[in-house]
Amino acid sequence: MKKKRKASPRAEKKKFYDEVLKARGFRLGLHQIMAEADWEFMQKFEEWVQYVYLSDRHLDKRVKELVITGVLCALRSPAPHIKVHMKKGVEAGATKEEMIAVAQLAGHWGGTVAQAN
């Protein structure tokens, strides 16, 4: 009886990157950077993503993407990251106008609160 060979770390990470893309519909460079820096953390983080972000536990995908877009805008995340979540929000049922309104509100209030403080 042959022993089953464990996948190489490189093959395991490649499979992970493919699964991230399939589950989320996008993949950012930070996923690869995090996996290379701390593979064990990234595996645990992915469990959290599956449980909180990808499940419809309390909020549906549309609402989550509206919230995420607002947070990313308020925190001045890079434009490609914001665009990915805006696109996912529209795919989940949000209108383009809703996504833009969230970005406008978050950008204004995020900046206003920072300025006021």
Side-chain angles (χ1 to χ4, degrees), residues 53-99:
Y53 174 61
L54 296 175
S55 74
D56 282 343
R57 221 174 104 226
H58 298 296
L59 301 171
D60 64 28
K61 190 73 168 163
R62 176 187 163 277
V63 171
K64 287 179 186 179
E65 292 299 348
L66 287 164
V67 170
I68 290 167
T69 296
V71 170
L72 292 175
C73 288
L75 294 175
R76 298 182 180 111
S77 186
H81 194 182
I82 296 168
K83 287 179 184 178
V84 163
H85 286 284
M86 291 180 91
K87 181 177 183 246
K88 296 309 288 182
V90 170
E91 288 174 7
T95 66
K96 288 180 182 179
E97 293 78 13
E98 287 174 318
M99 298 305 298

Side-chain angles (χ1 to χ4, degrees), residues 4-55:
K4 202 173 192 179
R5 289 182 64 193
K6 187 176 179 182
S8 71
R10 175 179 241 153
E12 193 175 355
K13 289 176 186 174
K14 164 84 170 90
K15 182 180 175 196
F16 168 78
Y17 303 140
D18 292 344
E19 289 171 356
V20 164
L21 181 59
K22 183 179 176 185
R24 298 180 186 150
F26 65 92
R27 178 179 53 211
L28 301 171
L30 71 95
H31 299 124
Q32 185 171 355
I33 291 167
M34 289 171 50
E36 292 298 326
D38 191 341
W39 179 235
E40 186 178 359
F41 166 80
M42 196 62 197
Q43 291 172 308
K44 294 294 183 187
F45 175 72
E46 189 59 23
E47 289 177 26
W48 178 90
V49 167
Q50 294 288 328
Y51 185 68
V52 176
Y53 174 61
L54 296 175
S55 74

